[in-house]
Amino acid sequence: MIELEEAVMEIIVNAGQSRSLCFEALRAARQGEIEEAKNLLREADGYSRRAHHIQTKLIEQDAGEARQPMTLIMVHAQDHLMNSLLARELSEEIIQLYQR
């Protein structure tokens, strides 16, 4: 069983790193460094997958017998993850525009 506090911090850290890399990719694309931008998005994907994996474990525990309390920090972690996923999708679209 995964500890809630540890899981929440893992989600926040990994989602935050993913989001940061997405914005770094946008800066690279703006400077015409499209391949670097794409590499940064791939790196962001790894962090996003880690955050999503932890979220999935928490959901599985919650659906089972280890009910998870809903805390403000948990909501904060979910907010980080959702924002990083949105940043990733939008970054890819914007990078495609820069590429044209």
Side-chain angles (χ1 to χ4, degrees), residues 81-91:
L81 180 55
M82 296 310 299
N83 280 312
S84 73
L85 294 172
L86 180 58
R88 171 59 176 86
E89 289 179 40
L90 286 174
S91 294

Side-chain angles (χ1 to χ4, degrees), residues 51-70:
H52 190 262
H53 178 73
I54 297 296
Q55 179 196 45
T56 300
K57 282 185 173 186
L58 287 175
I59 290 169
E60 288 170 352
Q61 281 180 198
D62 191 59
E65 298 195 18
R67 302 295 300 175
Q68 299 298 321
M70 185 50 61

Side-chain angles (χ1 to χ4, degrees), residues 5-46:
E5 186 174 314
E6 179 184 330
V8 165
M9 292 312 297
E10 284 289 316
I11 291 170
I12 291 171
V13 167
N14 284 292
Q17 185 62 24
S18 177
R19 181 186 172 279
S20 294
L21 286 164
C22 288
F23 282 97
E24 196 174 326
L26 286 173
R27 284 188 291 279
R30 189 173 57 234
Q31 295 172 355
E33 300 170 7
I34 300 301
E35 285 309 310
E36 176 64 13
K38 290 179 180 180
N39 288 336
L40 288 164
L41 287 184
R42 281 190 286 277
E43 188 178 350
D45 289 343

